Amino acid sequence: MSASRSRNKQSKLCDDERLDISKDEFNRFQEAFGQEEFRKLFFDYVDEIQDPENRKIYEAEITQLEKERGVEVRFIHPKPGFVIKTALDGELKCFINIASSEEIERPKNEVATDPSSGSRGLSWSIPMAQTTSRDDFDAKNNHCKVFDVVFHPDALHLAMRNKQFRQCLIDTALDAVEREYKVSLDRANLKFPKLDYKGIPRPTVIRKMSDNPTAEEQEPHPLAHMFPTKPPAPGKPEPRVLPMKTKPTPVPEFTVPKYTIKYSHDVDLSEYTDELDAKLHVTVPRSLVVEIELPLLRSTAECQLDVTSKSVYLFSERQGAKYRLKLDLPFIVDDKAGRARFDTDMRRLSITLPVVRKSVQEQAQMHETLRHFSREDSGVELHSNSESPVEEDP
């Protein structure tokens, strides 16, 4: 059986929401944008919603509306810090923005004793907040994923001064993304591009019930039946606090890339006949197609590929794209007749290898053996008159 790994890109790597537009609606959009007056009104609207002053008015209105419902909201505006570049589930490039906001609590520490060694030191807790993930494009216009993890500015200041604290801050952000979105990040190939933020900063909101709501705020809102809103949990829903790790997360030296092995068959009408040897090779494919996901490689010149009759070996030691794969093939292949192709858009290496089948002499010997077995006596003795030895019941 082939060692294939299933992939579910729709659920994790791409957003499920897609623009569903009919042909008539598309034609109407095209006709509208062809008019100068419509384009002017459209760009005026874009400038209006992007104006910082209008955004402040919008946030104030949202805050007042939520207050009337007995809910206090705080808008968190991420300020750029630094960016982590890695791979998501071994298939897609992703960026993690490490940002800051004054609305997040400061990191806290307390004196604690390490139970394993008995030494005393500081135990840190780092509050943080996350925004929803979003789709974006890299420098080559390829699809990628972007995540935001927001800390207090003091946390980023400490990370700039202390290398160990910076590493723990990075581990905390990676753990938060993996836990929140149920994904796996490539920790062996972390890169830090010369960016302070990937994309456009988007605010997020922290909601909590009012501590001392007025009688008016406790009354049901007139629009509650039209726009029901699940109130936040009672209490003080502060940003998530994660303890600082005493030991850094072990990072492998190389990453094993994701791969699939596909069987390629040809349609042969001789396999659908009643001949004894018609289905001798029905379970043996004509060729094997090995697809290897390499989202952090730009070309095959950055890796080494070695193919033998029974295995495929791939090795890359480029900084930020360290891969190593040793793959045993389920069939013997002709490594001299194989071909490889690297898709620069999908960052996928496809290797097609013809499967070595039995020679003509071996097939002829197998056919003769089958015919010999078909001519052997079944061992059932019959009477000379070829009638059944069983007497009929009168």
Side-chain angles (χ1 to χ4, degrees):
M1 182 178 295
S2 63
S4 62
R5 302 182 180 181
S6 61
R7 296 169 294 183
N8 188 1
K9 294 187 178 180
Q10 295 299 326
S11 60
K12 294 182 180 180
L13 306 186
C14 298
D15 292 339
D16 294 334
E17 296 183 1
R18 291 292 181 268
L19 182 62
D20 187 10
I21 184 172
S22 64
K23 185 176 181 180
D24 180 60
E25 293 172 335
F26 178 79
N27 292 334
R28 290 168 60 186
F29 272 111
Q30 189 176 18
E31 181 181 355
F33 276 102
Q35 302 175 6
E36 180 67 25
E37 183 180 359
F38 178 84
R39 292 199 303 270
K40 182 179 182 302
L41 293 175
F42 180 79
F43 289 122
D44 290 342
Y45 169 73
V46 172
D47 294 337
E48 180 180 352
I49 62 176
Q50 290 182 347
D51 188 359
E53 297 298 327
N54 291 333
R55 287 188 177 183
K56 291 180 181 179
I57 297 175
Y58 169 76
E59 292 178 3
E61 293 175 349
I62 293 295
T63 303
Q64 180 63 30
L65 178 62
E66 291 291 337
K67 186 178 181 180
E68 294 176 0
R69 302 164 70 106
V71 179
E72 293 182 1
V73 299
R74 287 186 299 160
F75 283 86
I76 296 179
H77 295 272
K79 294 182 180 179
F82 62 93
V83 179
I84 305 173
K85 175 184 175 182
T86 183
L88 179 68
D89 286 336
E91 300 178 9
L92 185 67
K93 187 187 299 183
C94 74
F95 297 87
I96 302 174
N97 293 319
I98 307 299
S100 63
S101 174
E102 294 285 351
E103 297 293 337
I104 309 298
E105 285 191 355
R106 290 181 170 86
K108 300 178 181 178
N109 65 79
E110 59 182 6
V111 179
T113 303
D114 189 355
S116 59
S117 61
S119 60
R120 294 172 59 86
L122 294 179
S123 176
W124 287 85
S125 61
I126 310 176
M128 46 155 270
Q130 291 180 260
T131 63
T132 56
S133 63
R134 59 185 182 272
D135 294 323
D136 209 322
F137 296 93
D138 61 5
K140 294 186 178 180
N141 205 29
N142 295 324
H143 175 237
C144 64
K145 221 40 166 170
V146 179
F147 304 91
D148 288 351
V149 183
V150 187
F151 300 93
H152 191 272
D154 289 354
L156 271 69
H157 179 69
L158 289 173
M160 294 176 59
R161 298 180 58 184
N162 188 283
K163 184 177 180 180
Q164 183 181 2
F165 190 90
R166 174 185 171 89
Q167 184 59 45
C168 290
L169 194 72
I170 293 172
D171 290 339
T172 301
L174 297 178
D175 292 341
V177 172
E178 290 182 335
R179 181 173 54 252
E180 181 70 21
Y181 297 98
K182 305 297 187 297
V183 296
S184 177
L185 300 176
D186 189 353
R187 296 176 183 253
N189 293 312
L190 298 180
K191 294 185 68 176
F192 301 91
K194 295 180 180 180
L195 298 173
D196 54 5
Y197 197 90
K198 172 64 177 176
I200 301 176
R202 300 183 181 182
T204 187
V205 176
I206 295 180
R207 305 172 68 242
K208 71 173 184 177
M209 300 299 296
S210 300
D211 296 331
N212 298 313
T214 62
E216 182 181 357
E217 293 175 355
Q218 293 179 351
E219 295 180 358
H221 197 273
L223 302 179
H225 66 287
M226 299 176 57
F227 304 98
T229 303
K230 182 179 179 181
K236 191 177 181 181
E238 294 298 333
R240 188 172 304 169
V241 178
L242 297 178
M244 182 174 177
K245 296 183 177 180
T246 56
K247 296 182 179 180
T249 304
V251 177
E253 185 179 0
F254 292 91
T255 297
V256 178
K258 276 197 170 183
Y259 65 89
T260 57
I261 300 179
K262 298 179 180 180
Y263 292 0
S264 178
H265 288 268
D266 294 336
V267 177
D268 192 349
L269 296 179
S270 63
E271 296 179 353
Y272 298 90
T273 63
D274 294 332
E275 297 294 334
L276 295 176
D277 58 346
K279 294 179 173 57
L280 286 178
H281 299 292
V282 70
T283 59
V284 180
R286 292 285 182 181
S287 61
L288 298 178
V289 180
V290 182
E291 294 184 350
I292 307 175
E293 305 290 342
L294 303 169
L296 300 177
L297 280 184
R298 292 173 292 186
S299 67
T300 53
E302 301 174 346
C303 68
Q304 302 175 12
L305 180 63
D306 185 16
V307 180
T308 65
S309 60
K310 296 183 179 180
S311 63
V312 173
Y313 181 73
L314 182 137
F315 180 74
S316 172
E317 56 182 354
R318 187 177 75 85
Q319 186 65 30
K322 294 184 177 181
Y323 293 110
R324 181 163 55 192
L325 175 64
K326 174 65 168 62
L327 178 60
D328 294 328
L329 300 176
F331 296 95
I332 298 177
V333 298
D334 185 3
D335 54 314
K336 304 299 181 184
R339 63 181 185 274
R341 184 177 66 87
F342 184 73
D343 189 341
T344 56
D345 295 332
M346 302 297 295
R347 304 294 177 94
R348 179 186 300 144
L349 177 63
S350 299
I351 309 170
T352 304
L353 302 169
V355 175
V356 177
R357 295 194 171 190
K358 294 184 179 298
S359 62
V360 178
Q361 293 78 8
E362 292 175 336
Q363 292 184 13
Q365 184 178 359
M366 186 179 300
H367 297 172
E368 184 63 27
T369 303
L370 286 175
R371 284 194 292 269
H372 176 69
F373 287 156
S374 64
R375 289 197 301 268
E376 284 188 354
D377 193 357
S378 62
V380 179
E381 296 182 358
L382 299 177
H383 294 280
S384 58
N385 57 1
S386 299
E387 294 180 357
S388 173
V390 181
E391 297 181 357
E392 297 181 359
D393 189 359

